[in-house]
Amino acid sequence: MKKPPYLPTIFLFCIVFAACILPASSQAAKPPPQSGQALYSQACAACHGADGTGVPSEKLGFNVPVPDFSDCNFASREANLDWMYVAVVGGPARGFSRLMPSFGEALSKQQIERILDYIRSFCKNKNWPRGELNLPRPLVTTKAYPEDELVLSTSVNTEGLDVITSEIIYEQRFGFRNQFELVVPFGWRENDENGGTEWTSNLGDIGLGVKRVVYHSLEKGSILSVGGEILLATGDEEEGFGSGSTVFEPYIAYGQILPAGFFAQFQVGAGLPYDDDEANEEAFWRAAFGKAIYVGEYGRRWSPMVEILGSRELVSEADTNWDIVPQLQVTLNHRQHVRLCAGARIPLNDTDTRETVYMVYLLWDWFDGPFIAGW
Ligand code: HEC
């Protein structure tokens, strides 16, 4: 007996149905991923508030204030990576209170990322440059990012008679893109007098500067600033601690985030003395390349960097001077707002007259809390 022709057709149809329709319908049965907003309301809003401003301490029953995520001045300068550490590991990851719980077990990284995207929406003004663009400070090249910092930097020249020069650099942001800076240099010089060596101390040329971010983009990883500094002739030129003239120093600074934790920073500028009998005009250009390395998943940040420095006095037949500055910056505490950097400025030309200078700075980002907080 002949088989009815429609049986194989039905059979084939069933297979196609099973292969195409069933998995699709079982996929549709899965709940859609929860939005950052929904996850935030469930996991964070009880303390941080539905609007991100933080529930008042009296209501929470503990006296550690909860940060205000809608305050752009605070929120914009924090990088997502640091917030991720805090959310996964809990407050102590960045030297904060244990009252900020750890969510590493309750939430996946993708879920926390979605929450952070939502938290970012509390700051409504996108003109504030984001903390990711705040690249590690090189020893010589000026950063493009505006800072609230106090830096003590020291250079030591040990060839021949010793010279130690130090600078206290105070930086303060104003508005969302600007920064004011005061630099007070001072130093000690070994003197070979009366048959013995003596040390004399001197003040250097005090500097006053302003800087303004003219472009920044987190998507492109770029930040560009223009700035200027006036160096007053307060130093003793004869002792080698001043130029003898007031100098205006305009510059452009640019920072770029590169893939895999690498970054590059550039600065070009000029030193324009008021009194050109005392000092010559000079052009300079500086580049710093480095990489941020986190040791342990939530650990210390090490940033090896190398700077290439070039400068030339703007007079005929002047030499172009080149230096290379290998260095290493490290965060000293959990909050990561106290950092140390050490390196050496090695001349690449004119090595008969120019010497290697050892350099170190200690930096305190005072906006992130007192020096002793977060260790
Ligand atoms: C039990 C209350 C509580 C809950 C729930 C809570 N937090 Fe917190 N959070 C805090 C407190 C308190 C601080 C401030 C800690 C300090 O300053 O020492 C804080 C601080 C933070 C900070 C640090 C901000 C900075 O200063 O850089 C981040 C980021 C953060 N919380 C994210 C979250 C996220 C994301 C969630 C939800 C997944 C969450 N928190 C849930 C209490 C809480």
Side-chain angles (χ1 to χ4, degrees):
M1 205 177 99
K2 261 178 105 188
K3 279 189 195 155
Y6 52 85
L7 265 184
T9 319
I10 291 174
F11 184 66
L12 207 71
F13 180 75
C14 287
I15 290 178
V16 170
F17 181 81
C20 305
I21 315 295
L22 286 181
S25 62
S26 73
Q27 251 173 30
K30 257 200 204 161
Q34 273 185 297
S35 70
Q37 181 172 9
L39 290 163
Y40 176 86
S41 340
Q42 287 161 23
C44 321
C47 296
H48 288 282
D51 59 357
T53 54
V55 174
S57 308
E58 312 87 67
K59 287 203 183 149
L60 290 172
F62 52 72
N63 58 7
V64 178
V66 180
D68 178 357
F69 290 134
S70 72
D71 172 8
C72 301
N73 186 26
F74 150 71
S76 65
R77 52 176 100 205
E78 305 297 330
N80 260 11
L81 188 72
D82 291 312
W83 278 3
M84 173 62 102
Y85 287 171
V86 170
V88 171
V89 179
R94 284 288 174 268
F96 293 112
S97 163
R98 280 182 197 287
L99 292 166
M100 166 59 209
S102 124
F103 289 91
E105 309 228 311
L107 299 169
S108 70
K109 268 201 171 154
Q110 290 75 8
Q111 285 175 314
I112 295 176
E113 265 163 21
R114 257 178 277 145
I115 295 178
L116 293 184
D117 284 346
Y118 180 65
I119 289 179
R120 290 293 174 191
S121 70
F122 292 133
C123 155
K124 303 287 179 228
N125 185 343
K126 300 296 166 215
N127 276 323
W128 292 80
R130 270 280 290 277
E132 279 80 351
L133 298 169
N134 188 359
L135 301 169
R137 179 194 187 99
L139 283 165
V140 184
T141 307
T142 295
K143 283 167 54 157
Y145 197 85
E147 286 280 23
D148 283 325
E149 281 178 352
L150 190 66
V151 184
L152 172 65
S153 106
T154 297
S155 311
V156 183
N157 193 331
T158 55
E159 287 171 49
L161 292 171
D162 294 357
V163 183
I164 302 173
T165 40
S166 285
E167 275 181 351
I168 293 181
I169 304 156
Y170 173 80
E171 292 173 350
Q172 177 160 1
R173 281 175 79 156
F174 62 98
F176 43 83
R177 286 167 177 237
N178 310 310
Q179 178 208 284
F180 161 79
E181 185 180 71
L182 170 69
V183 185
V184 181
F186 50 94
W188 297 267
R189 171 179 288 275
E190 202 180 21
N191 282 318
D192 210 355
E193 278 168 23
N194 312 326
T197 48
E198 267 179 37
W199 285 87
T200 50
S201 62
N202 289 275
L203 181 71
D205 289 346
I206 291 178
L208 291 165
V210 284
K211 177 164 79 183
R212 179 173 168 81
V213 179
V214 290
Y215 170 81
H216 64 96
S217 158
L218 181 63
E219 292 71 41
K220 298 198 171 78
S222 325
I223 180 163
L224 178 72
S225 294
V226 291
E229 195 170 328
I230 291 181
L231 298 154
L232 307 169
T234 46
D236 187 336
E237 192 192 1
E238 280 176 20
E239 292 284 351
F241 286 101
S243 67
S245 165
T246 296
V247 178
F248 176 52
E249 216 179 79
Y251 65 84
I252 299 172
Y254 177 76
Q256 179 65 48
I257 301 174
L258 301 170
F262 285 94
F263 56 84
Q265 303 183 65
F266 303 93
Q267 184 194 10
V268 289
L272 309 172
Y274 180 71
D275 181 351
D276 47 18
D277 290 339
E278 290 284 349
N280 288 323
E281 294 186 348
E282 187 193 64
F284 61 84
W285 51 95
R286 301 163 178 169
F289 301 96
K291 179 176 165 74
I293 301 163
Y294 289 83
V295 176
E297 203 184 355
Y298 302 111
R300 206 180 279 290
R301 189 183 73 193
W302 295 87
S303 308
M305 292 182 264
V306 61
E307 282 176 271
I308 307 285
L309 313 175
S311 68
R312 185 177 190 277
E313 290 197 341
L314 298 177
V315 287
S316 58
E317 290 174 32
D319 282 341
T320 299
N321 285 335
W322 292 96
D323 298 74
I324 187 166
V325 193
Q327 60 199 275
L328 184 62
Q329 194 212 58
V330 60
T331 57
L332 293 184
N333 61 349
H334 279 114
R335 186 72 54 88
Q336 304 209 326
H337 73 315
V338 180
R339 288 163 235 161
L340 186 84
C341 184
R345 179 175 181 154
I346 306 162
L348 293 175
N349 64 318
D350 251 343
T351 45
D352 298 340
T353 53
R354 302 192 313 124
E355 296 160 0
T356 296
V357 178
Y358 299 92
M359 303 174 82
V360 58
Y361 71 66
L362 180 68
L363 178 160
W364 165 37
D365 183 344
W366 52 264
F367 188 89
D368 273 355
F371 188 89
I372 51 164
W375 286 78

